[in-house]
Amino acid sequence: SPGNKELEPLKYFKVAAAASMSWQKVESCIQGTTSLLSYCLGKGENVAFVLQDVGVLLIEGTKVQMKFYYGFLARLSGKKNLEKVIFEVSQLLDMVVSPVVPVASLTFSCRAVVFPK
């Protein structure tokens, strides 16, 4: 059907080249992380997935929310554009977080499994 998309396998060698690591190490790390993430979600744990220099993906029950680091958004849009948009749409402040804020403070339950370890 038109809405279906074909999944492409992850090309570990491309990730490895970008990270200057062996593809075996990259494959092991990604598979270990996804396995542990799947286990935690299966047990109903809240999860905070930290994406370095980007932000934090919070998964709490059925609620999924991305909180971006201000610096990341400023690099994407330019600092002036970002300040203008945030001033005009104050709800966007809920999506912005500082990298120095403890991850546990971002969750409703104050308890989450933080990835990567």
Side-chain angles (χ1 to χ4, degrees), residues 11-41:
K11 294 179 176 60
Y12 294 110
F13 68 93
K14 286 187 175 182
V15 176
S20 300
M21 300 174 91
S22 73
W23 70 266
Q24 294 95 333
K25 186 167 186 171
V26 166
E27 181 180 40
S28 174
C29 182
I30 291 173
Q31 287 182 352
T33 300
T34 53
S35 177
L36 187 54
L37 179 61
S38 176
Y39 174 79
C40 290
L41 293 175

Side-chain angles (χ1 to χ4, degrees), residues 69-117:
Y69 296 141
Y70 182 87
F72 171 75
L73 294 176
R75 283 192 305 276
L76 283 181
S77 63
K79 192 174 178 182
K80 281 188 178 181
N81 288 338
L82 180 59
E83 287 173 355
K84 181 179 181 224
V85 169
I86 287 177
F87 179 75
E88 291 174 359
V89 186
S90 60
Q91 296 93 331
L92 288 178
L93 280 174
D94 290 340
M95 294 178 61
V96 180
V97 68
S98 167
V100 297
V101 169
V103 171
S105 70
L106 301 176
T107 69
F108 291 119
S109 66
C110 294
R111 183 178 180 284
V113 178
V114 179
F115 287 84
K117 290 189 178 244

Side-chain angles (χ1 to χ4, degrees), residues 61-76:
T62 58
K63 183 180 179 193
V64 178
Q65 183 179 25
M66 185 69 201
K67 299 231 179 223
F68 294 98
Y69 296 141
Y70 182 87
F72 171 75
L73 294 176
R75 283 192 305 276
L76 283 181

